Amino acid sequence: MATTRLDPIDRKILAELQADGRMTNVELAKRVGISAPPCLRRVRTLEEAGLIRGYHADVDPRELGFEVQVFANVGLQSQAEADLTAFETRCRDWPLVRECHMLNGEVDFILKCVAPDLSTFQRFLTEELTAASNVASVKTALVIRGAKDEPGVPFDILEARLARDA
C-alpha cells in the first residue's frame, strides 16, 4: 500500500496511532472523524499491509538500570550478501544490540547498544562483537545524553508534500 494509495483518513489514523498507540478504537475513530467499525477495519488493513508493524511501550532505559548507550560503527572484511546477512542475523541474537542498520559509506553497519554499565558493554565489545566472524573494525561512541528520540515519521511533512503535489 503505497503512500499515494493512502487516503487522508488512513494517514490521520497512522499519525494518531503513532502519537498514542494505546488509545481505544472509539477514541481513534472520534479523532479521525469516522465511526468505530470502519475505523477498526482500516486499522486492521493498515496492520495487514505492514504499515503498522506493532505497538510498543516507550520505556526509559536509564530508569530500568541501563545506564550505558553506545553507537558502534562496524566494518566488515567482506560485503558479500551472504556475509552481510550473516552479520545481521548475528546482531538479532545479541540482546544488547537494540538497533542494527546497514549503511552506505565508510562503515558497513551502525549498532545502537544498551548496557547496564560500562564493564558489561566492554565485555560484549571484546568477547562478542569484535570476536565475531567477518568483523574487521569497530569504532564506538558513548552517548552522553539524548536530545531527541522521536518514533515513526513526521506526518506534517508528508501532508505538506501531498498538498503541494496535488
Side-chain angles (χ1 to χ4, degrees), residues 13 19 59 63 81 93 112 126 149:
I13 288 171
V59 299
E63 288 295 320
E81 185 58 37
D93 292 336
K112 177 182 172 186
T126 58
D149 185 7

Side-chain angles (χ1 to χ4, degrees), residues 4 6 10 14 48 73 76 92-93 108 110 112 134-135 149 158:
T4 55
L6 295 176
D10 287 334
L14 291 171
E48 290 166 6
N73 295 308
L76 301 181
R92 288 186 199 101
D93 292 336
D108 296 307
I110 187 166
K112 177 182 172 186
N134 197 32
V135 171
D149 185 7
L158 174 62

Side-chain angles (χ1 to χ4, degrees), residues 42-55:
R42 283 175 177 258
V43 169
R44 288 195 174 133
T45 299
L46 293 167
E47 289 170 346
E48 290 166 6
L51 286 149
I52 298 173
R53 297 186 299 189
Y55 301 88

Side-chain angles (χ1 to χ4, degrees), residues 20-38:
D20 179 6
R22 288 190 59 161
M23 78 177 76
T24 66
N25 183 60
V26 172
E27 176 63 23
L28 177 61
K30 187 170 103 177
R31 289 187 188 188
V32 300
I34 61 176
S35 64

